[in-house]
Amino acid sequence: MSFATAYNAHPKLVVVIVIDQFRGDYLERYRDQFGEGGFRLLLDHGANFTDCNYDYANTRTAPGHATLFTGAYSNGHGIAANEWWDPQKKRMVTSVEDDTTKLVGVTDDKAGASPHNLLADALGDELKLATQGRSRVFSLSLKDRAAVLPGGFAADAAYWIEPKSGAWVTSTYYRGDLPKWAQDFNSGNRTAKYWDRDWKNTKGDVLRSTAHHKGKDGSEAGFYEVIGSTPFANEYELEFAKELVVYENLGAGQATDLLAISLSANDILGHQVGPDSPEMAAMALALDRELADFFNFIGHQIGLANMWIALSADHGVSALPDAAGKFRIPAANLGAGKLEAQINGALTAKFSPGYAASYIKFDYPLAWLDQDVFAAAHIKEHDAETAVGEAMKQAGLVRDFFTKSRLAEGKVSATALGKKFLNSYSPEGGWYVMGVPNLYTVGSATGTDHASPYTYDTHVPLAFYGLPFRPGTYRTHAEPIDMATTLASLLGINAPTHAVGRVLTEALAPTRHQENGAAGTESNAERAPR
């Protein structure tokens, strides 16, 4: 490795793959079944950190993606959840919705999305600043939050899908219309080949069908709902990513480009069937083949020796409570709708007997407080949050809780758990209470979820491929915040503004001047299968 930096396009391209809801143990669990060129490109020819855990409690999609690319936790980047209560709008808002923008790529006049809620900049922003805009930054996902947050403020574009049709969209925050290649992709009806198909495992067993059917509301079920929980959705994303690489000429400029791809299908399926189901195993093996195809494509386009790849996930997932219960492990499905009514009933009895009120919105284990309703009962923030936390605890929903006001003052016990909740704090979102869930307890009535501070939710992969990385399995402790810091250091640019991760020096190959002029060891790219 010589003195390669982003300034002179070494590497030409950095690709970051984020797999939504991909637990850290999956790579080892399925390793013997993986083929060549997919996950094993990173496992056999890259640096793989097996003990990578988020050091916070709010293991959700939006915080996870923000954490990976800012190198900070929620107390740095401000994204504490996928959605929260907005005191001004008096409703729940998503982490990226932005009423000052419009969607681009659809005919209706819906509000768009932007990174305006981020309180820190991201890796792509520092890349843009360092190269005076010569670097190009793109991100994509089925989900808007998983596309917008990785791109940071300065992304050339972030792309996600319109859920019903599967058409790719962006926001006026980035551009006024879709580029011609993206318009052509949508008008080419690329979704058609994924409908009315059977998803089969390697043995030929049918796992799911993408046949047209009615959704829960009686209307025709859309792309996200039907195809989103199959490997066809990952294939569709990577198909779009290939077009983006070709038509945006990524890796062909005078500075390093960045492409972030967040693959959503694993999460959509995982919520339904849990981490230990045959479908999740089949999904992992299908994704392995799809990544092998994508890495082969991008290798031919740019050359594996000219690019770096990083792989991680935004969170893990709990075992299905029924599955955990079979081993006498305490576990439960709670049912979020009933929980919200239960807590509001307890608060009504306490503060406004005879006058039912909606004091909270519940996204287990977080409660978002409507401060206007509490104000009408003359209850201040500290007392309101404490009352909500106590109601959650007395109902047996959580084992403990942390209030926003308490976190803002840093008043938590000096324990590992206390630190996780301090790292989860954000000044955004009005009043709130973060519950400490019981083990393997999820808010949904069926299926499973993530949002706990426990290892099944915090443990994710972290692996790198490229010339600077010394191949091997590393069992030293790492965190997702280390990804942006490590990549920034190797690119020769500033780390993102609020980054607190460390440079993973144990996995870096020595530079040539460190080898006293020696030719150096065989590179990752030379070891890689041709």
Side-chain angles (χ1 to χ4, degrees):
M1 174 190 166
S2 57
F3 287 105
T5 72
Y7 301 98
N8 53 15
H10 295 292
K12 293 181 180 296
L13 177 65
V14 177
V15 177
V16 181
I17 304 286
V18 182
I19 309 173
D20 201 322
Q21 195 196 114
F22 198 80
R23 285 195 347 188
D25 59 321
Y26 287 176
L27 290 183
E28 201 57 47
R29 183 184 295 199
Y30 304 120
R31 185 171 188 154
D32 291 346
Q33 300 174 64
F34 291 146
E36 292 294 326
F39 288 117
R40 289 180 64 174
L41 180 68
L42 294 112
L43 295 176
D44 296 345
H45 307 283
N48 174 36
F49 286 83
T50 60
D51 181 26
C52 179
N53 280 268
Y54 284 94
D55 194 24
Y56 70 173
N58 49 323
T59 42
R60 289 285 189 199
T61 297
H65 283 81
T67 293
L68 280 163
F69 289 86
T70 63
Y73 287 116
S74 296
N75 58 349
H77 59 62
I79 306 298
N82 291 339
E83 58 180 15
W84 52 76
W85 181 262
D86 185 313
Q88 279 71 48
K89 295 179 179 176
K90 304 191 188 318
R91 63 176 176 85
M92 295 293 286
V93 298
T94 78
S95 56
V96 294
E97 71 175 76
D98 184 350
D99 292 341
T100 69
T101 69
K102 297 294 181 188
L103 279 184
V104 172
V106 290
T107 53
D108 49 25
D109 203 29
K110 289 183 179 177
S114 82
H116 69 111
N117 286 316
L118 275 174
L119 302 180
D121 81 353
L123 180 66
D125 298 322
E126 292 298 332
L127 194 56
K128 282 279 192 182
L129 287 167
T131 63
Q132 293 298 291
R134 293 193 304 278
S135 291
R136 311 200 67 214
V137 176
F138 291 92
S139 55
L140 65 105
S141 176
L142 296 189
K143 303 177 181 181
D144 57 0
R145 56 186 176 270
V148 169
L149 297 170
F153 295 100
D156 292 274
Y159 295 104
W160 58 97
I161 67 162
E162 192 283 313
K164 278 283 188 186
S165 66
W168 289 94
V169 300
T170 186
S171 162
T172 52
Y173 175 84
Y174 303 100
R175 51 185 304 137
D177 51 19
L178 288 179
K180 185 177 185 305
W181 65 264
Q183 292 180 35
D184 291 345
F185 189 99
N186 285 340
S187 62
N189 197 21
R190 301 287 192 97
T191 60
K193 66 181 178 182
Y194 299 114
W195 282 101
D196 300 311
R197 284 175 60 178
D198 288 335
W199 167 29
K200 300 178 181 179
N201 62 16
T202 52
K203 297 177 183 176
D205 303 321
V206 176
L207 301 177
R208 295 203 163 198
S209 166
T210 60
H212 286 79
H213 65 264
K214 300 291 184 183
K216 294 175 183 176
D217 61 358
S219 64
E220 191 75 16
F223 182 93
Y224 186 95
E225 185 178 345
V226 178
I227 296 166
S229 58
T230 72
F232 305 141
N234 285 333
E235 184 180 327
Y236 181 65
E237 277 196 59
L238 292 171
E239 188 180 344
F240 186 78
K242 289 177 185 178
E243 301 267 311
L244 192 155
V245 168
V246 170
Y247 287 100
E248 297 291 354
N249 295 309
L250 290 193
Q254 298 300 307
T256 299
D257 295 331
L258 174 65
L259 174 61
I261 303 171
S262 173
L263 298 163
S264 308
N266 297 65
D267 182 73
I268 302 169
L269 177 67
H271 277 282
Q272 300 170 19
V273 301
D276 307 309
S277 64
E279 293 105 314
M280 283 308 290
M283 178 72 90
L285 298 180
L287 180 55
D288 178 55
R289 295 187 295 272
E290 291 163 345
L291 287 175
D293 173 73
F294 181 70
F295 294 154
N296 181 59
F297 163 83
I298 214 164
H300 280 102
Q301 285 289 124
I302 297 165
L304 287 176
N306 297 320
M307 59 182 293
W308 303 345
I309 301 169
L311 171 76
S312 193
D314 54 351
H315 52 73
V317 69
S318 166
L320 285 172
D322 284 349
K326 288 176 183 176
F327 297 103
R328 300 189 299 278
I329 298 170
N333 284 100
L334 296 177
K338 290 190 298 182
L339 300 181
E340 186 170 299
Q342 185 178 353
I343 300 300
N344 279 320
L347 294 169
T348 293
K350 184 177 178 70
F351 296 125
S352 58
Y355 298 93
S358 180
Y359 286 90
I360 66 155
K361 294 292 182 184
F362 210 30
D363 183 16
Y364 186 83
L366 272 77
W368 303 98
L369 282 63
D370 185 337
Q371 53 206 66
D372 290 344
V373 177
F374 280 99
H378 309 292
I379 311 298
K380 295 182 178 178
E381 179 180 3
H382 175 273
D383 296 334
E385 290 172 346
T386 301
V388 170
E390 290 294 348
M392 291 162 61
K393 195 173 176 181
Q394 288 168 12
L397 305 180
V398 297
R399 58 173 55 181
D400 202 355
F401 62 90
F402 292 85
T403 64
K404 182 184 183 181
S405 51
R406 183 174 154 199
L407 291 171
E409 295 169 356
K411 291 182 177 178
V412 302
S413 57
T415 63
L417 187 66
K419 184 184 176 189
K420 284 185 176 182
F421 278 88
L422 277 178
N423 286 343
S424 305
Y425 167 77
S426 169
E428 297 183 338
W431 302 354
Y432 57 79
V433 177
M434 293 185 170
V436 183
N438 294 307
L439 301 183
Y440 295 100
T441 297
V442 299
S444 54
T446 60
T448 188
D449 201 359
H450 44 86
S452 85
Y454 308 127
T455 52
Y456 51 80
D457 284 342
T458 64
H459 184 205
V460 295
L462 183 62
F464 301 89
Y465 172 86
L467 290 176
F469 300 100
R470 190 197 303 267
T473 299
Y474 297 86
R475 304 198 185 277
T476 48
H477 179 69
E479 298 178 28
I481 53 174
D482 301 334
M483 185 188 80
T485 307
T486 298
L487 292 175
S489 177
L490 291 171
L491 291 168
I493 65 175
N494 288 331
T497 53
H498 289 60
V500 291
R502 70 180 180 93
V503 179
L504 297 168
T505 53
E506 63 268 41
L508 303 186
T511 59
R512 284 180 181 159
H513 81 282
Q514 289 173 323
E515 296 171 340
N516 298 318
T521 56
E522 184 184 28
S523 74
N524 304 56
E526 289 164 340
R527 288 192 187 95
R530 301 295 183 196

